[in-house]
Amino acid sequence: MKVIEITHPIQEDQYIKEDVAMAFGFFDGMHRGHAKVFETLNQRAEETGLKKAVMTFDPHPSVVLNPERKRTDYLTPIQDKVEIMESYGIDYCLIINFSSKFASVSVEDFIENYIINNHVKECVAGFDFTFGKYGKGNMMILDQVEHFNTTTVYKQERESEKISTTDIRKALKEGELQDANDSLGYRYRIKGTVVQGEKRGRTIGFPTANVEPSDDYVLPKKGVYAVTMEIGPESKLYRGVANVGVKPTFHDPAKAQIVIEVNLFDFDENIYGERVIVYWHHFLRPEIKFDGIDPLVEQMNKDKERAKYLLAVDFGDDLSYNI
C-alpha cells in the first residue's frame, strides 16, 4: 500500500495517476460501521476493475473546528489505522493534514483537486460524511457530480443503536468493555513499550510490566481488566491482569499520573524496552483505595483468579491463539 501524506495545497506529484475507487472518512476505531464502508469499496472496485484508495485525515477535525471539545486521543492512532487499512488490501492511502488552511477549502475546490484530479471514478463514504468549508459538502452533492459514481453507506446498527466512534469511546471510559469490543468487531488494543516503573508489585508477589502507550490512545476506565499481551515480534500471547489508574493505595489520586501495569500469569522474564500490544478482554472492577497492603493483595489474588477463569472461557488451554 502506498501512503501519501498531504498538506494543503496538494502538489502535482502527490496525485494518484491511475483510476481508483476511493473511500472517504476519518475512520477512528476502524469499527464495524467502517468495515461496511471498506466492504462496499471492495465490491465497487471489483465490479469496475479499479484499484482501491482511501482518504483519511489527521488530526481529528475538531482540533481546528471545535477547540473547546477537541479530540486528541484516538481508538486507532494514525499508524494503527494505516495498518488496518493495509489488511483490507488498499492500494493507496491518502492522509490529509487537517489544518486551518485545509478547513477553508471550498466544496468545489475539494471536489476538483482532491477527488477528480486524483482519478477517482467511484466515491464511497458513510451517509454522514461532510467536506469543504463549514462542512457544506455532503454525499448528496457528490451524487450530483458527473465525473464519478457515488455510493452512500448508511448507518450500521447493533441492538438497534448506530455504531459510532463516539459511543465506543464512551463505553470504554465507562467500563463497558464488552459493548466497545462488540461495536469495534475486535478486542480493543493499545500498543506501547515496557518501561521502568516503581517495582512495588514484585515486593508483594505481583510483578508488573509498566506499559507506556506508543501513541495518544483512548485509555479505558480506571480499573482492573483481564487482558492478553503480545511481546515483541512473537505471535504468542500471554494472559494476565492489567490495572489502569493511579494506584490510590500508594498515591494521591489528584497528583499521580495514570499508568498501565500488566501482571502476566506464569511469566518471569525481563522485558524492559520490549514493544508490546495489550488486548483488553474483560473489565473486572473499578480502581479503589485499600486500607493497607494485606487487603490489596487479597483482592489482587481474587482479580487474578477471576481473570484466569474468564480468559479460559474465552480461549481454553490454547496459548497461541490469534486475536
Side-chain angles (χ1 to χ4, degrees):
M1 181 175 74
K2 183 175 182 179
V3 178
I4 305 172
E5 298 185 22
I6 299 169
T7 299
H8 181 75
I10 187 170
Q11 303 300 306
E12 183 64 32
D13 61 355
Q14 294 178 314
Y15 285 119
I16 298 173
K17 307 301 182 184
E18 59 182 328
D19 292 347
V20 296
M22 182 177 285
F24 298 80
F26 190 74
F27 301 122
D28 187 23
M30 298 294 288
H31 55 61
R32 287 168 54 187
H34 299 144
K36 185 63 177 179
V37 173
F38 284 90
E39 290 169 10
T40 304
L41 173 67
N42 189 60
Q43 180 182 2
R44 297 301 299 136
E46 286 186 353
E47 292 172 352
T48 55
L50 297 169
K51 292 290 184 68
K52 293 181 290 185
V54 175
M55 181 180 292
T56 191
F57 310 91
D58 185 66
H60 191 272
S62 64
V63 172
V64 174
L65 303 178
N66 192 0
E68 292 183 0
R69 301 179 63 183
K70 62 185 177 183
R71 183 186 299 177
T72 57
D73 56 359
Y74 304 102
L75 301 172
T76 47
I78 189 65
Q79 291 305 317
D80 291 26
K81 196 189 307 184
V82 167
E83 287 181 13
I84 298 174
M85 286 181 185
E86 193 163 18
S87 73
Y88 279 100
I90 303 300
D91 298 291
Y92 297 94
C93 175
L94 276 59
I95 303 174
I96 312 297
N97 172 224
F98 201 99
S99 63
S100 297
K101 288 184 179 179
F102 179 74
S104 298
V105 171
S106 69
V107 170
E108 295 76 17
D109 189 10
F110 182 86
I111 292 173
E112 180 71 25
N113 286 306
Y114 285 88
I115 300 182
I116 295 174
N117 288 349
N118 265 313
H119 288 253
V120 178
K121 302 303 179 182
E122 296 283 339
C123 289
V124 179
F127 69 98
D128 53 357
F129 174 65
T130 61
F131 59 91
K133 191 173 182 179
Y134 303 126
K136 289 185 175 180
N138 54 41
M139 295 304 285
M140 289 187 291
I141 289 176
L142 290 184
D143 200 34
Q144 296 170 8
V145 180
E146 296 181 354
H147 291 79
F148 47 78
N149 295 317
T150 299
T151 302
T152 300
V153 178
Y154 292 95
K155 67 178 180 179
Q156 303 300 301
E157 297 183 339
R158 187 177 69 84
E159 298 179 356
S160 300
E161 295 291 335
K162 175 191 170 186
I163 296 173
S164 73
T165 298
T166 299
D167 287 345
I168 294 170
R169 290 168 58 91
K170 181 180 177 183
L172 283 173
K173 292 181 177 182
E174 292 181 351
E176 301 294 337
L177 182 58
Q178 192 62 54
D179 282 349
N181 285 343
D182 287 346
S183 292
L184 286 168
Y186 58 89
R187 289 183 177 85
Y188 187 55
R189 61 197 67 174
I190 292 178
K191 295 181 180 180
T193 302
V194 178
V195 298
Q196 296 276 358
E198 297 175 336
K199 302 180 181 179
R200 183 180 282 110
R202 67 179 60 184
T203 67
I204 57 176
F206 289 89
T208 60
N210 191 328
V211 178
E212 183 175 288
S214 59
D215 217 317
D216 296 322
Y217 289 92
V218 175
L219 294 183
K221 177 181 179 178
K222 287 189 289 187
V224 180
Y225 295 80
V227 302
T228 53
M229 190 165 81
E230 183 176 330
I231 302 172
E234 297 181 27
S235 59
K236 184 177 180 181
L237 296 169
Y238 299 88
R239 308 181 195 193
V241 174
N243 185 83
V244 180
V246 297
K247 297 176 285 186
T249 304
F250 304 104
H251 301 289
D252 180 352
K255 299 179 181 179
Q257 181 180 0
I258 295 177
V259 296
I260 299 173
E261 292 185 309
V262 181
N263 170 245
L264 298 177
F265 307 148
D266 306 315
F267 186 87
D268 186 21
E269 296 180 25
N270 186 335
I271 55 173
Y272 290 127
E274 293 280 4
R275 294 180 179 175
V276 300
I277 307 175
V278 180
Y279 297 90
W280 305 83
H281 293 252
H282 300 278
F283 177 70
L284 302 181
R285 64 172 176 83
E287 184 179 51
I288 57 178
K289 181 177 181 178
F290 292 90
D291 295 326
I293 300 297
D294 290 342
L296 169 63
V297 171
E298 181 182 354
Q299 182 60 54
M300 291 174 70
N301 277 308
K302 291 179 181 178
D303 295 336
K304 183 174 182 178
E305 292 308 310
R306 178 66 174 163
K308 282 185 174 182
Y309 169 76
L310 291 171
L311 293 172
V313 170
D314 286 348
F315 303 107
D317 295 326
D318 186 2
L319 295 178
S320 60
Y321 53 84
N322 291 320
I323 295 295

